[in-house]
């Protein structure tokens, strides 16, 4: 550092840090003023405040020019908070998610939008969709896939019937902890958690609490709330939930997969937010079905191969028609503004009995 004295002591270093902090604060306020000016222009134009592709480009650009010693992976969370605070000066961003306080869905919402939001906790994934569809929230955050247990079926099913579409994604490292009011494993009669969490901790529960009831509840944080009220209950939830409800962490990291992650979709109503423009690293999600005939699925995939479009995810769900028909959920690499993707989607639509574009959005920026 050019401004660092050769024999700086602790007090000198602290003085320099204080000076830099004041400089940073002045620059942040300058940025906030510019953001307010942008907000005024957007109001006149009638354009939206939050643009996920723009924020992804800002973070990508900063990571590209970062020379350290600040770690590159630290850039995204820092600037998400800066952009969140600046965005809040324009208009409050209302975000619905599976609550109550302390859920992984809340952590995902805060990680994606920053802390300067209006939080709207919901009792179920269905309510997240309804709240966002009705306009009571600007955006919803819903889990769609776990690296251990696979897809979150309810979210996929609701994408078929609800008008919402995806404008962003985020993934979260999921570390499950066993929580309880008393700091002992003795006397636990039931472990309360979301069914996905119970499944993700099946091995640990079988080894350490083999005779204890596993009680499914609406969310892990709801399980923590119940455990805080009844000492006979334990919960599987996050560190944040333990702090929120005053519980002991009896055993940390009890998930069977140490690399357990959950992917979340950021959803909104198409009449209130436009489709994000290309950021340069995008994903396009859709759900389709084909007539039940030999070779139908093969024919569905041919346009992707012919136009060199990479498929990064392919899931099937029963159509519940009683006819052994299926919906296929597909993620493609690229944006519909890309010529290859546009051509592939046009041909794919032509061979499908049902076709719904679920959204196109920047790939998760860490």
């Amino acid at each position: 550092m050019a401004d660092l004295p050769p024999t700086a002591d602790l007090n000198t270093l602290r003085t320099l840090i204080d000076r830099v902090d004041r400089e940073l604060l002045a620059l942040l306020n300058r940025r906030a003023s510019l953001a307010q000016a942008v907000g005024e222009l957007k109001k006149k134009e009638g354009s939206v405040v939050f643009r996920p592709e723009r924020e992804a480009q800002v973070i990508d650009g900063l990571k590209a020019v970062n020379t350290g010693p600040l770690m590159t992976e630290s850039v995204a969370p820092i600037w998400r908070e800066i952009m969140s605070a600046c965005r809040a000066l324009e208009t409050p961003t209302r975000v619905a998610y599976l609550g109550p306080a302390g859920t992984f869905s809340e952590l995902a919402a805060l990680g994606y939008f920053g802390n300067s939001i209006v939080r709207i906790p919901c009792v179920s994934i269905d309510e997240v969709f309804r709240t966002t569809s009705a306009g009571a929230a600007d955006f919803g955050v819903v889990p769609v896939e776990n690296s251990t247990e696979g897809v979150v079926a309810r979210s996929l099913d609701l994408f078929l019937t609800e008008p919402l579409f995806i404008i962003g994604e985020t993934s979260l490292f999921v570390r499950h902890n066993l929580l309880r009011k008393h700091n002992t494993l003795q006397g636990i009669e039931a472990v309360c958690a979301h069914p996905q969490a119970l499944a993700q901790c099946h091995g640990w529960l079988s080894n350490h609490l083999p005779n204890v009831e596993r009680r499914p509840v609406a969310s892990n944080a709801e399980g923590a709330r119940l455990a805080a009220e009844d000492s006979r209950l334990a919960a599987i939830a996050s560190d944040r939930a333990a702090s929120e409800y005053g519980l002991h962490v009896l055993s940390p990291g009890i998930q069977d997969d140490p690399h357990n992650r959950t992917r979340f979709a950021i959803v909104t109503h198409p009449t209130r937010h436009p489709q994000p423009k290309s950021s340069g690293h995008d994903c396009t999600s859709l759900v389709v079905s084909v007539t039940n005939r030999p070779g139908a699925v093969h024919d569905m995939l041919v346009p992707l191969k012919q136009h060199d479009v990479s498929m990064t995810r392919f899931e099937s769900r029963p159509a519940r028609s009683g006819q052994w028909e299926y919906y296929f959920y597909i993620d493609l690499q690229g944006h519909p503004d890309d010529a290859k993707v546009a051509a592939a989607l046009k041909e794919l639509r032509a061979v499908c009995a049902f076709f719904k574009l679920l959204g196109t959005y920047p790939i998760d920026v860490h």
Side-chain angles (χ1 to χ4, degrees):
M1 291 177 58
D3 59 344
L4 183 63
T7 57
D9 58 17
L10 183 59
N11 287 334
T12 300
L13 292 172
R14 285 175 173 169
T15 300
L16 289 172
I17 288 174
D18 289 345
R19 184 187 303 167
V20 171
D21 284 344
R22 291 186 178 92
E23 292 172 359
L24 284 173
L25 181 59
L27 288 171
L28 288 173
N29 278 313
R30 183 181 172 191
R31 189 191 196 283
S33 296
L34 292 170
Q36 285 180 310
V38 169
E40 291 301 317
L41 288 176
K42 287 182 176 180
K43 286 179 182 177
K44 292 177 183 178
E45 296 173 354
S47 57
V48 294
V49 172
F50 178 63
R51 296 303 299 256
E53 71 278 18
R54 167 61 182 161
E55 297 202 356
Q57 288 167 350
V58 168
I59 292 171
D60 283 347
L62 290 169
K63 288 165 67 175
V65 299
N66 179 43
T67 58
L70 186 70
M71 293 186 295
T72 299
E73 56 264 32
S74 298
V75 170
I78 291 171
W79 257 264
R80 284 199 188 280
E81 288 298 337
I82 292 172
M83 291 187 287
S84 177
C86 291
R87 203 186 314 122
L89 296 173
E90 300 179 53
T91 185
T93 302
R94 303 166 300 168
V95 182
Y97 55 86
L98 180 63
T103 61
F104 287 108
S105 291
E106 182 186 51
L107 291 175
L110 296 175
Y112 187 82
F113 289 101
N115 281 269
S116 300
I117 60 172
V118 177
R119 307 180 198 187
I120 305 176
C122 300
V123 299
S124 66
I125 293 174
D126 293 61
E127 187 180 337
V128 174
F129 274 85
R130 286 195 298 267
T131 300
T132 310
S133 294
D138 301 305
F139 303 97
V141 178
V142 293
V144 292
E145 185 178 19
N146 176 263
S147 60
T148 302
E149 291 300 308
V151 298
V152 180
R154 188 57 188 157
S155 295
L156 297 193
D157 290 343
L158 286 167
F159 276 121
L160 279 172
T161 57
E162 295 291 334
L164 304 184
F165 77 124
I166 305 170
I167 56 106
E169 68 165 6
T170 187
S171 63
L172 192 68
F173 170 63
V174 175
R175 189 170 188 266
H176 290 307
N177 308 292
L178 187 71
L179 312 180
R180 194 188 181 193
K181 193 172 183 180
H182 296 327
N183 197 13
T184 175
L185 291 174
Q186 300 301 316
I188 297 175
E189 296 183 7
V191 176
C192 302
H194 188 276
Q196 282 262 342
L198 291 172
Q200 291 163 23
C201 301
H202 171 79
W204 191 95
L205 292 172
S206 297
N207 288 331
H208 295 86
L209 298 171
N211 300 316
V212 172
E213 176 194 352
R214 302 176 192 182
R215 187 176 300 173
V217 293
S219 71
N220 292 338
E222 173 63 12
R225 186 189 69 79
L226 294 172
E229 296 177 350
D230 189 341
S231 61
R232 297 170 299 176
L233 303 179
I236 297 173
S238 64
D239 293 332
R240 184 182 178 91
S243 300
E244 184 76 26
Y245 297 100
L247 298 171
H248 293 283
V249 177
L250 298 187
S251 187
I254 67 170
Q255 67 278 0
D256 297 334
D257 180 359
H259 307 294
N260 187 29
R261 297 188 72 89
T262 295
R263 179 184 177 217
F264 296 83
I266 315 301
V267 296
T268 191
H269 199 283
T271 61
R272 294 191 299 273
H273 199 288
Q275 173 180 285
K277 297 178 181 178
S278 176
S279 70
H281 52 89
D282 302 283
C283 177
T284 296
S285 296
L286 54 147
V287 56
V288 302
S289 69
V290 291
T291 54
N292 190 2
R293 60 175 179 78
V297 174
H298 171 270
D299 293 344
M300 178 181 70
L301 300 178
V302 166
L304 305 181
K305 179 177 176 58
Q306 288 181 336
H307 294 283
D308 195 29
V309 175
S310 177
M311 181 173 62
T312 58
R313 180 164 164 259
F314 185 84
E315 298 281 350
S316 63
R317 290 282 298 151
R320 298 185 179 182
S321 62
Q323 303 298 318
W324 298 107
E325 296 173 336
Y326 290 85
Y327 288 109
F328 299 96
Y329 293 80
I330 302 172
D331 283 351
L332 305 178
Q333 189 173 351
H335 191 281
D337 288 346
D338 303 338
K340 293 191 298 183
V341 176
L345 289 177
K346 181 179 179 181
E347 293 183 20
L348 180 59
R349 188 188 295 266
V351 299
C352 289
F354 174 86
F355 181 101
K356 182 180 181 181
L357 185 66
L358 297 181
T360 183
Y361 45 92
I363 295 171
D364 188 18
V365 177
H366 293 289

